[in-house]
Amino acid sequence: MGIRTAIHDMGAMKRLLTGAEEQARALGEETPGPEHLLLAALTLPDDSARTALAASGATVEDVRRALAESHAAALRSVGIDTDTIPAPTPAPAPRGPYRASGTANEVFQRATALAKADRPKNLRTAHVLIAVAELEHGTAARALRALHIDPHILIEAAHAAIRA
């Protein structure tokens, strides 16, 4: 890995992880999960993830709405009426080392491994989108299915966006 790639990736990682943390806190959660990494990837300046998502006919707002509906459906499945729950209040800013869910860490590690296998080896937001699209379970996977997004087509679109 060259020094330029290393510097680029450090900046990309910081923006991605900070963005995921902000997305989680805005939704009242203390620990980012894959869905927060997905939202962060879709809102960063690198538009490769948004380009791939658009090729599948969806927008960032579609994903945000599908994630909210997925959370609500999960709560309803255990008997919680979402109409009685107050809107989330932002969680306090975390202190100490960065913490994320186990699955979020797996998604991040998969995205960085995908970036290292590509040429150039720069971490792109589409790498995160691919790692999330590979998930079979969880909120992010359910949201993509609710949007009728074929993960294989999304992954192909993400690879195309990286090569563009």
Side-chain angles (χ1 to χ4, degrees), residues 10-161:
M10 288 173 47
M13 288 178 201
K14 180 179 180 188
R15 287 186 295 276
L16 177 66
L17 297 176
T18 301
E21 201 170 65
E22 290 170 357
Q23 295 288 338
R25 284 192 358 244
L27 296 171
E29 299 178 40
E30 294 181 12
T31 305
E35 63 273 23
H36 305 113
L37 283 171
L38 175 61
L39 287 172
L42 292 171
T43 57
L44 289 177
D46 167 19
D47 68 349
S48 61
R50 280 189 305 277
T51 299
L53 184 66
S56 294
T59 66
V60 177
E61 288 311 311
D62 293 334
V63 170
R64 194 176 298 280
R65 186 181 61 255
L67 288 171
E69 290 171 3
S70 179
H71 276 289
L75 291 172
R76 283 192 303 273
S77 74
V78 294
I80 298 173
D81 180 5
T82 56
D83 291 334
T84 62
I85 299 174
T89 56
R95 294 176 175 241
Y98 185 82
R99 292 193 174 99
S101 73
T103 308
N105 285 326
E106 291 171 13
V107 165
F108 180 72
Q109 290 173 7
R110 175 71 176 137
T112 56
L114 288 165
K116 288 179 181 174
D118 263 340
R119 296 266 180 223
K121 297 182 177 192
N122 294 339
L123 177 63
R124 305 282 308 274
T125 58
H127 291 115
V128 176
L129 185 61
I130 292 169
V132 170
E134 291 175 343
L135 295 174
E136 294 181 21
H137 305 287
T139 304
R142 285 192 304 273
L144 293 177
R145 281 194 299 273
L147 293 171
H148 306 288
I149 293 175
D150 182 321
H152 302 292
I153 293 173
L154 182 60
I155 289 169
E156 287 178 24
H159 282 294

